[in-house]
């Protein structure tokens, strides 16, 4: 199958943004666009009358404002052709991309054509689609799980997610299952953070997940799909303020949406507690540390903290917190106004609940200093006892036989 797909069904000849048509030149006709994801976009068109047109460009622009332009070649019979190189990943997967021509005549007058648009879908793979009332799931041939099992995994995740966040999501959700982590990373334009296994475009209702290997496919999907579904529900409460929500809250809820996450993080948490390296939650409000080990700890802490908050304050309070995002104020203020306590106080309470007092800490440097201070006293005491014992023995000569 050719990697370049004619986008007849993604391609729309309408003008959703208001680009004025100026000048006297008739706009190009027979406009066609093809692209190979991550490689190039090719646009061809015809000018019925070249007239005094001297040069032309095509401008591409996304909803988020990313903008690129390329020169257009013009043949004497009016064929226009422009190619945009995508190797630097100027656009993200699922971007809604507008494009239009700007034609300049010899006198410098510029004519803008109507604008056209297309959705930048990942056409590197032959996606197989399965549909239900709740989900449209796309998979490649590498995903060997049946359509009905995939729908079942997603539905179980949706039930857990709506238990945590009781809202009605926008349906159907779209789920893309990438064949491996690398192909998902390249779709997202990520090259260095290879631990990103799942991603959501909550504004579009799209989830992207991947499997680390064929052996772990089902386990990976049972973990990732519910996690990403929670993110979609969070978005339905926060809308465009989603990225301003405390990161520990977004990720903590998402991990709680996974079926059995606790065992994965137990070791990480107790080790950090014993070494006194737990991260203050104030530091996890806007982002997580990029280093893999610290990032895992951030997820582990957030999951445990949110689990504690859910048990103590109930899901309604966390829903209220998400709804209050964007009303102004800091992360700490958001928490205080919803739960009546600041983050540091809540962190201390969580530590008391998560790590019971009989859980002996090791490795605290203060403990070593205390030991150094106590040791001379202990030795002095032992020396006195020994001397006292010796003196006693001398006063009881008849005990020895
Ligand atoms: Zn997440």
């Amino acid at each position: 199958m050719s990697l370049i797909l004619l986008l007849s069904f993604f391609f729309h000849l309408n003008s959703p943004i208001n680009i004025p048509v100026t000048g006297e030149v008739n706009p190009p006709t027979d406009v066609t666009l093809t692209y190979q994801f991550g490689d190039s976009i090719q646009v061809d068109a015809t000018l019925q009358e070249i007239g005094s047109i001297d040069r032309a460009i095509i401008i591409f622009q996304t909803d988020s404002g990313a903008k690129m332009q390329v020169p257009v070649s013009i043949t004497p019979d009016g064929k226009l052709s422009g190619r945009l190189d995508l190797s630097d990943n100027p656009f993200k997967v699922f971007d809604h991309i507008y494009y239009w021509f700007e034609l300049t005549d010899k006198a410098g007058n510029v004519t803008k054509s109507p604008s056209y648009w297309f959705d930048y879908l990942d056409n590197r793979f032959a996606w197989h689609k399965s549909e239900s009332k709740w989900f449209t799931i796309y998979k490649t041939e590498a995903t060997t799980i049946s359509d009905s099992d995939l729908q079942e995994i997603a539905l179980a995740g949706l039930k857990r997610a709506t238990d945590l966040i009781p809202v009605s999501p926008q349906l159907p959700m779209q789920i893309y299952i990438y064949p491996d982590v690398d192909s998902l990373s390249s779709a997202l334009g990520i090259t260095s953070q290879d631990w990103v296994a799942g991603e959501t475009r909550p504004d579009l209702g799209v989830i992207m997940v991947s499997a680390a290997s064929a052996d772990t496919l089902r386990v990976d999907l049972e973990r990732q799909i519910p996690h990403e579904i929670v993110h979609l529900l969070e978005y339905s409460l926060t809308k465009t303020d989603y990225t301003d929500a405390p990161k520990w809250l977004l990720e903590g809820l998402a991990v709680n949406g996974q079926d059995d996450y606790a065992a994965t993080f137990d070791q990480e948490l107790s080790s950090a507690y014993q070494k006194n390296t737990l991260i203050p939650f104030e530091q996890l409000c806007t982002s997580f540390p990029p280093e893999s080990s610290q990032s895992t700890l951030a997820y582990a802490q957030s999951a445990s903290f949110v689990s504690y908050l859910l048990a103590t304050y109930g899901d309604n309070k966390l829903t209220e917190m998400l709804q209050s995002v964007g009303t102004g104020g800091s992360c700490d203020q958001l928490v205080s106004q919803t739960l009546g306590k600041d983050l540091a106080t809540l962190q201390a309470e969580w530590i008391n609940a998560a790590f019971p007092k009989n859980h002996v800490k090791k490795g605290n440097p203060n403990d070593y200093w205390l030991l150094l201070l106590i040791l001379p006293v202990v030795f002095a005491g032992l020396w006195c006892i020994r001397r006292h014992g010796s003196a006693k023995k001398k006063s009881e000569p008849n005990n020895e036989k």
Side-chain angles (χ1 to χ4, degrees), residues 233-253:
L233 297 195
E234 291 166 342
Y235 183 83
S236 62
L237 290 176
T238 55
K239 298 292 181 201
T240 50
D241 295 316
Y242 178 79
T243 51
D244 294 332
K247 180 89 171 165
W248 58 260
L249 177 60
L250 295 177
E251 295 303 336
L253 278 166

Side-chain angles (χ1 to χ4, degrees), residues 198-200 224 227-228 230-231 234 242 247 250-255 258 288 299:
E199 180 74 36
T200 304
Q224 292 170 17
H227 180 109
E228 302 301 333
V230 173
H231 285 320
E234 291 166 342
Y242 178 79
K247 180 89 171 165
L250 295 177
E251 295 303 336
L253 278 166
V255 176
Q258 297 169 204
F288 280 4
Y299 277 95

Side-chain angles (χ1 to χ4, degrees), residues 52-216:
S52 62
I53 292 301
D54 184 44
R55 57 190 186 277
I57 57 171
I58 303 171
I59 295 175
F60 299 88
Q61 187 173 337
T62 66
D63 281 334
S64 57
K67 200 170 177 181
M68 302 289 291
Q69 69 177 56
V70 286
V72 171
S73 65
I74 308 172
T75 64
D77 60 346
K79 300 292 181 201
L80 304 179
S81 177
R83 182 181 181 277
L84 176 66
D85 184 354
L86 298 173
S87 54
D88 289 336
N89 295 312
F91 305 127
K92 289 187 289 188
V93 64
F94 304 117
D95 267 349
H96 196 61
I97 303 177
Y98 301 99
Y99 62 101
W100 63 92
F101 292 88
E102 285 189 6
L103 309 162
T104 307
D105 67 16
K106 290 187 173 73
N109 300 311
V110 177
T111 298
K112 287 182 181 176
S113 76
S115 74
Y116 318 94
W117 61 270
F118 70 103
D119 287 326
Y120 185 48
L121 305 179
D122 191 341
N123 61 9
R124 293 174 299 171
F125 305 100
W127 297 103
H128 165 84
K129 182 165 82 169
S130 82
E131 289 178 280
S132 72
K133 179 181 159 193
W134 298 281
F135 304 101
T136 305
I137 301 179
Y138 299 84
K139 67 176 185 180
T140 67
E141 59 186 8
T143 303
T144 50
I145 300 176
S146 72
D147 289 351
S148 58
D149 281 4
L150 286 174
Q151 290 282 347
E152 212 170 276
I153 290 170
L155 190 56
L158 180 59
K159 283 177 181 162
R160 277 185 69 83
T162 46
D163 279 347
L164 285 172
I165 306 173
V167 293
S168 301
Q170 196 162 351
L171 297 173
M173 295 176 176
Q174 292 188 69
I175 301 174
Y176 283 78
I177 302 172
Y178 274 82
D180 49 54
V181 176
D182 284 348
S183 57
L184 174 60
S185 295
S186 61
L188 298 170
I190 294 170
T191 52
S192 58
Q193 297 171 312
D194 60 357
W195 47 268
V196 172
E199 180 74 36
T200 304
R201 288 290 302 270
D203 50 331
L204 304 175
V206 175
I207 286 169
M208 288 165 278
V209 294
S210 65
S213 78
D215 298 339
T216 60

